[in-house]
Amino acid sequence: MLNLKLKWSDTKPIRKLVYSLFFVGFLLGSLWLANIIYPLALPNQQEDFATVVLDDEGYPLRAFADKNGVWRYHVNLSEVSPEYLNALIAYEDRYFYRHFGVNPISFLRAAWQYLVNQRIISGGSTLTMQVARLLHPHERTLLGKLKQILRAFQLEWQLSKQEILSLYINYAPFGGTLEGVQAASYQYLRKPVSDLRPAEAALLAVLPQAPSYYRPDRHPQRATLARDKVIDRLARQGEWSQQKALRVKQEPVVVWEPEQPLAAPLLARRLKQENPHKAVIKTYIQRALQEQISRYVLDYAGLQGDAVSMAVLVVDNQTQHVISYVGSSSILDSSRAGHVDMVKAIRSPGSTLKPLLFGLAIDDNIIHSQSLLADVPRLNSRYKPGNFSHGFDGPVSATRALQRSLNIPFVQLIEAYGEQKFVNKLAHVLHPLSIPVNKANAAVILGGAGTSLQSLVSLHSSFANQGWVKPLVFEDTSDFESTKEKTQKSKQVGRRLMSEAAAWITWKTLTGLTPPEQFSWGLSKQKRPLLAWKTGTSWASRDAWAIGSSKQYTIGVWVGKPNGEPLRGSLGVTTAAPALFSILDMLQSEHTQSEIQQPKRPFTVEDKEICWPDGRSVNLVKSGCDRHLFAFTKDGVTPRTLQIESGFAFHNALENIIVDPNTQLRLLGQCGEVTGELKQVNVWPRQLEPWLPFKERRSARIPKYSEACLTIPKQEDVLTIVGIDNKQQIYRQHSEVIEKNIYATGAFGKVSWYLNGDNIGTQSAPLHLQLPIQLNGEMELVAVDEHGITGRVIFAIKDDLISSK
């Protein structure tokens, strides 16, 4: 039998193993218990980071501090320069990827040096321990160090090395309220951490050791010495060659003084409000262009007077990316309400909606580009506006009406198209108008509704986008989208507002406007792109607008007072249009000749020779073509001329009359049904008579009634103004007020009188006309009776030079 008895001395190895296992178990149990009692609290990265809004190249436009006022910009490890990560790990924690949170060798070495020298010679903390201290600050005592070690173990248990390193680069202190290497890189070096050079990487690697002491903008010599320590260690460890180390050391420490960026501040505020939980928001703003336009807006608004603000929006038509967003003259100027974002403010659009109606009316076959419209007094219409140009033009083409922004023809057009239908069209493309009591009327087309600069820019960009209205893109989310989302987004082309043909015809028509006089000699005609532009002025000059589209860009400009007070004497064409062309020149200075093009003409656009007054193509008009014009048409469709003040109805340019074959005098039906012959006469709309040459008037084409008829109706529908002769010149003596009694002979019922387009009275009695001293030059006086018969005289008021002497 074996002797199984062991001596006490023989059990010593077993006892050591048991004690060791017990110690390890006790230690692990203690750590487990400590982990339960003192759980690790990881930071809430949605709340701990400042929100930073970036430009198209990743540079900050504006940043918003976190709830504690700390500027900490989130960055992923993949976005950090490898030079920085290499320098950081080599200098701070060479064995970071090998230890379990604590490096025993470094820790014991640091402890021994402290005991011998009674001061800290070298740190024993690993990067994990530094993260533990950042997340859970502690007192510099033995108990505090033990807590730090516990937290380091917890970090290693719960997180990967990459996650721990990510915490360090985002929470490390860099002086003052700056935390995280991305914030430090932007503030000190004006660049993202992805672009660091070796010398800059070494500097930022050492700054967290003593951020205030080494702060490079205040203590560049200290910062240089600290940086060189990092470089020397990298060379000793073989991370860098000696040649590289010497070369990098020769680079001086030059940094910017930290300041918070403030470019596109209102866009940044807007995107932060829309994305409250995002730490990094990227835009398509082009910084150089944004700053150039911002400086221009600040100066230009200041020249317009006190309390005047201004907004500019620039969009790339190919992508709908917003590349410049200036919401006010200056966010810092409270006297101009600079905090109010006028890009999205609801204001009266003035005449800027007219091009949209022009294109939609072409699509509905109501007009072509040269359709005959009437700029005459409106008698029976629900709405009777005037023109900014003063006076009436009589017969005008749709093109001329749009280019001159005549109000009355567009009231005629919207009544034919349908006021509510027009409003519904804009709502369909997600740009509804704000209308009082939600009831559309003809005033909508002249600014009697509310919209915003961003809506106008989006709508006008459709002229360069084949009639599609696409949503403006303010934020670059491509880094956060899946492949599926990107594919779906690429298919989202918006909603169609009008056909490609109607969009092109409208765009082409708007390019015919002459730029403001001060820009006639700006960029040469060969260099300046074609710009389809339109201005608008709201009632009482509260808003001045200019919207323009080239093939590549759509630009919107608003000028006015945010509080709604009138800007006296301000017009879109004189106040906003000069800014529009200045910004166009800023854009074109960066682009080549090859980019200066126009949208491609669709094959559905056909040139047609048309006739006035009928309105149709010459091959459809049997007789009586007084005027020939060449029009752009959609699919060759040439609708008839619209009737005036009759809604959606067309004018019949041929009138049937019976004449005596011998005398050619007109006969009535009852006295000419046997001997008379039928004759067709080409006639213009009756309301246009006073503006027509004599040969085109009815009195020149329709003969008088023959006396052979027993009953003869009124021979002519003529209203004659008596008291002032046509083309009369009236001389004013001694600055007197000129007074005259004016009569309308041949009128039926009450007469409406218009002086230079303004209604000055409707009455049965003669007009007592008073011409104060402010009125000089050519005048137009128009009278309209209850049957719509119109009379017109042109006269001039001049100062009597002899009496004035």
Side-chain angles (χ1 to χ4, degrees):
M1 295 181 61
L2 294 175
N3 186 4
L4 297 178
K5 292 184 179 180
L6 295 176
K7 296 182 179 179
W8 178 256
S9 58
D10 294 334
T11 63
K12 188 173 182 180
I14 298 175
R15 283 185 285 114
K16 286 184 178 181
L17 177 61
V18 171
Y19 293 154
S20 297
L21 291 174
F22 176 79
F23 177 77
V24 171
F26 175 78
L27 180 61
L28 293 176
S30 299
L31 291 174
W32 176 79
L33 183 62
N35 186 50
I36 294 176
I37 298 173
Y38 301 104
L40 177 67
L42 294 174
N44 184 338
Q45 298 194 27
Q46 288 186 346
E47 297 180 0
D48 281 0
F49 286 99
T51 298
V52 58
V53 182
L54 308 176
D55 65 16
D56 64 329
E57 295 183 348
Y59 291 81
L61 294 169
R62 187 180 182 185
F64 301 85
D66 70 5
K67 59 184 179 181
N68 297 317
V70 175
W71 302 98
R72 185 188 299 115
Y73 307 162
H74 183 267
V75 65
N76 295 317
L77 278 177
S78 59
E79 300 169 319
V80 178
S81 165
E83 291 280 7
Y84 171 75
L85 294 177
N86 185 36
L88 173 67
I89 294 174
Y91 184 72
E92 288 285 358
D93 191 355
R94 187 178 183 183
Y95 301 102
F96 173 70
Y97 288 105
R98 301 178 191 174
H99 61 65
F100 48 86
V102 176
N103 186 338
I105 298 175
S106 298
F107 186 75
L108 292 174
R109 183 186 66 245
W112 175 256
Q113 290 174 340
Y114 179 77
L115 290 173
V116 171
N117 298 280
Q118 294 299 304
R119 62 186 179 88
I120 297 176
I121 301 298
S122 64
S125 296
T126 62
L127 282 174
T128 308
M129 293 173 68
Q130 292 183 50
V131 171
R133 187 174 66 248
L134 291 172
L135 301 183
H136 298 276
H138 60 81
E139 297 179 356
R140 298 178 70 87
T141 62
L142 178 60
L143 180 60
K145 181 59 69 174
L146 292 175
K147 289 181 180 179
Q148 183 184 10
I149 293 172
L150 170 63
R151 296 302 187 193
F153 287 148
Q154 290 175 313
L155 286 169
E156 293 284 346
W157 292 339
Q158 298 183 30
L159 303 177
S160 68
K161 289 290 186 179
Q162 296 296 94
E163 290 172 326
I164 294 170
L165 188 57
S166 179
L167 286 172
Y168 179 86
I169 65 173
N170 279 293
Y171 284 85
F174 282 88
T177 57
L178 285 181
E179 290 188 7
V181 68
Q182 184 76 298
S185 184
Y186 278 135
Q187 289 293 301
Y188 290 127
L189 304 171
R190 296 292 191 270
K191 62 171 62 176
V193 71
S194 59
D195 295 344
L196 293 181
R197 298 193 306 275
E200 296 166 337
L203 173 65
L204 295 186
V206 76
L207 275 185
Q209 281 199 350
S212 298
Y213 186 78
Y214 292 149
R215 185 166 165 171
D217 60 316
R218 296 178 180 175
H219 311 292
Q221 292 182 340
R222 296 178 189 171
T224 301
L225 292 173
R227 181 204 65 178
D228 290 351
K229 283 197 311 180
V230 178
I231 295 172
D232 290 339
R233 183 171 296 185
L234 288 168
R236 285 198 306 270
Q237 293 177 357
E239 299 290 340
W240 287 3
S241 67
Q242 290 295 334
Q243 292 82 356
K244 179 178 180 179
L246 289 173
R247 186 177 68 253
V248 172
K249 278 177 138 183
Q250 291 174 355
E251 184 176 323
V253 171
V254 179
V255 298
W256 298 79
E257 184 176 350
E259 64 178 12
Q260 293 307 318
L262 200 63
L266 292 175
L267 172 63
R269 184 184 71 186
R270 171 181 179 166
L271 293 178
K272 181 180 185 299
Q273 292 170 347
E274 294 173 357
N275 302 275
H277 302 302
K278 270 192 178 180
V280 179
I281 302 172
K282 191 173 181 181
T283 71
Y284 295 101
I285 295 295
Q286 297 177 8
R287 177 179 293 273
L289 178 66
Q290 175 73 19
E291 292 177 344
Q292 186 180 12
I293 294 177
S294 296
R295 289 191 298 269
Y296 174 83
V297 166
L298 179 63
D299 294 338
Y300 193 87
L303 294 174
Q304 307 309 309
D306 296 337
V308 176
S309 189
M310 184 173 172
V312 173
L313 192 66
V314 182
V315 173
D316 186 323
N317 290 331
Q318 307 304 314
T319 59
Q320 294 301 97
H321 293 167
V322 174
I323 62 174
S324 182
Y325 186 116
V326 181
S328 70
S329 58
S330 171
I331 194 173
L332 303 176
D333 191 345
S334 59
S335 69
R336 300 178 187 275
H339 63 286
V340 179
D341 187 352
M342 300 309 299
V343 167
K344 60 180 185 178
I346 301 299
R347 308 287 290 201
S348 166
S351 297
T352 56
L353 298 178
K354 289 176 181 175
L356 306 172
L357 176 60
F358 181 90
L360 291 171
I362 289 175
D363 268 341
D364 262 26
N365 297 327
I366 295 175
I367 61 169
H368 49 69
S369 71
Q370 297 293 347
S371 286
L372 172 61
L373 298 176
D375 186 30
V376 298
R378 297 178 63 77
L379 181 65
N380 300 315
S381 174
R382 301 185 296 272
Y383 184 48
K384 302 178 182 180
N387 288 323
F388 276 107
S389 59
H390 303 295
F392 302 101
D393 282 22
V396 293
S397 67
T399 289
R400 182 173 174 80
L402 178 58
Q403 291 176 344
R404 294 195 59 210
S405 197
L406 299 176
N407 289 340
I408 298 171
F410 272 90
V411 171
Q412 177 191 3
L413 194 56
I414 197 170
E415 288 180 350
Y417 182 80
E419 298 95 326
Q420 189 61 52
K421 181 179 177 181
F422 176 73
V423 171
N424 292 346
K425 278 285 188 178
L426 299 190
H428 169 71
V429 294
L430 306 180
H431 290 285
L433 298 177
S434 176
I435 305 173
V437 301
N438 294 320
K439 186 176 181 181
N441 54 54
V444 165
I445 200 60
L446 305 184
T451 189
S452 64
L453 179 61
Q454 65 184 34
S455 282
L456 288 175
V457 168
S458 181
L459 289 167
H460 277 248
S461 69
S462 67
F463 301 135
N465 283 321
Q466 298 80 48
W468 290 91
V469 176
K470 304 176 183 180
L472 302 184
V473 182
F474 298 95
E475 182 185 354
D476 180 2
T477 59
S478 58
D479 292 341
F480 308 100
E481 294 174 346
S482 65
T483 303
K484 181 179 179 181
E485 289 172 328
K486 291 178 182 178
T487 302
Q488 290 175 342
K489 189 173 181 180
S490 66
K491 295 179 180 179
Q492 294 174 357
V493 292
R495 297 189 178 191
R496 182 174 285 285
L497 176 63
M498 62 185 70
S499 68
E500 186 178 2
W504 186 89
I505 294 171
T506 306
W507 187 91
K508 191 68 175 176
T509 300
L510 291 174
T511 61
L513 277 72
T514 303
E517 184 178 348
Q518 58 266 53
F519 288 89
S520 297
W521 305 101
L523 288 177
S524 68
K525 187 177 181 180
Q526 289 74 24
K527 290 185 178 180
R528 173 171 281 161
L530 286 173
L531 186 72
W533 62 288
K534 183 72 185 71
T535 61
T537 308
S538 67
W539 185 77
S541 296
R542 286 175 166 82
D543 308 273
W545 303 88
I547 316 292
S549 292
S550 66
K551 179 182 179 182
Q552 187 169 5
Y553 302 109
T554 299
I555 308 165
V557 176
W558 171 88
V559 183
K561 296 183 179 181
N563 62 7
E565 291 181 0
L567 186 55
R568 301 298 180 188
S570 173
L571 297 174
V573 70
T574 58
T575 305
L580 174 70
F581 280 88
S582 292
I583 293 164
L584 177 66
D585 287 353
M586 295 177 198
L587 288 164
Q588 287 310 123
S589 64
E590 301 179 1
H591 298 282
T592 64
Q593 180 76 22
S594 62
E595 293 172 316
I596 302 174
Q597 301 173 358
Q598 58 178 306
K600 185 178 179 181
R601 174 173 170 157
F603 69 90
T604 51
V605 173
E606 296 183 25
D607 295 322
K608 288 287 183 179
E609 183 181 0
I610 61 97
C611 285
W612 276 8
D614 185 279
R616 292 178 297 170
S617 173
V618 291
N619 62 320
L620 298 176
V621 178
K622 296 179 180 178
S623 62
C625 190
D626 289 339
R627 304 186 197 179
H628 293 250
L629 296 90
F630 288 90
F632 293 126
T633 70
K634 176 190 172 187
D635 296 321
V637 176
T638 55
R640 291 178 183 268
T641 295
L642 287 170
Q643 283 192 10
I644 300 174
E645 301 191 55
S646 298
F648 190 10
F650 294 112
H651 167 68
N652 185 3
L654 291 177
E655 186 169 321
N656 295 320
I657 63 173
I658 302 173
V659 298
D660 187 317
N662 298 317
T663 66
Q664 290 298 305
L665 294 177
R666 188 175 182 185
L667 301 174
L668 290 173
Q670 61 268 29
C671 67
E673 57 186 5
V674 176
T675 61
E677 63 179 23
L678 185 66
K679 182 179 180 180
Q680 287 189 322
V681 180
N682 191 43
V683 293
W684 292 65
R686 190 181 300 275
Q687 295 93 327
L688 296 175
E689 288 279 302
W691 287 268
L692 298 175
F694 178 75
K695 65 178 182 179
E696 294 178 351
R697 297 184 183 182
R698 291 169 181 262
S699 57
R701 294 183 171 177
I702 300 178
K704 294 183 179 181
Y705 283 100
S706 171
E707 294 181 358
C709 294
L710 297 177
T711 303
I712 300 176
K714 185 178 178 181
Q715 291 287 315
E716 296 177 346
D717 287 330
V718 177
L719 187 154
T720 304
I721 295 176
V722 179
I724 295 182
D725 296 331
N726 194 40
K727 298 185 179 179
Q728 179 179 350
Q729 294 186 357
I730 303 173
Y731 289 91
R732 189 193 304 277
Q733 296 182 354
H734 305 294
S735 300
E736 66 179 349
V737 175
I738 298 173
E739 299 187 52
K740 288 183 174 290
N741 289 322
I742 310 297
Y743 302 85
T745 63
F748 177 85
K750 292 184 179 181
V751 176
S752 297
W753 295 91
Y754 297 86
L755 181 64
N756 290 343
D758 295 328
N759 189 299
I760 57 175
T762 299
Q763 57 201 47
S764 300
L767 174 68
H768 182 67
L769 183 64
Q770 291 183 319
L771 304 172
I773 59 175
Q774 305 94 284
L775 291 180
N776 277 292
E778 190 173 274
M779 304 284 161
E780 179 192 55
L781 182 64
V782 176
V784 186
D785 72 8
E786 292 182 4
H787 284 176
I789 308 305
T790 306
R792 174 176 178 259
V793 294
I794 299 293
F795 63 97
I797 300 176
K798 296 185 177 181
D799 290 327
D800 189 335
L801 299 180
I802 297 177
S803 64
S804 64
K805 291 181 179 178

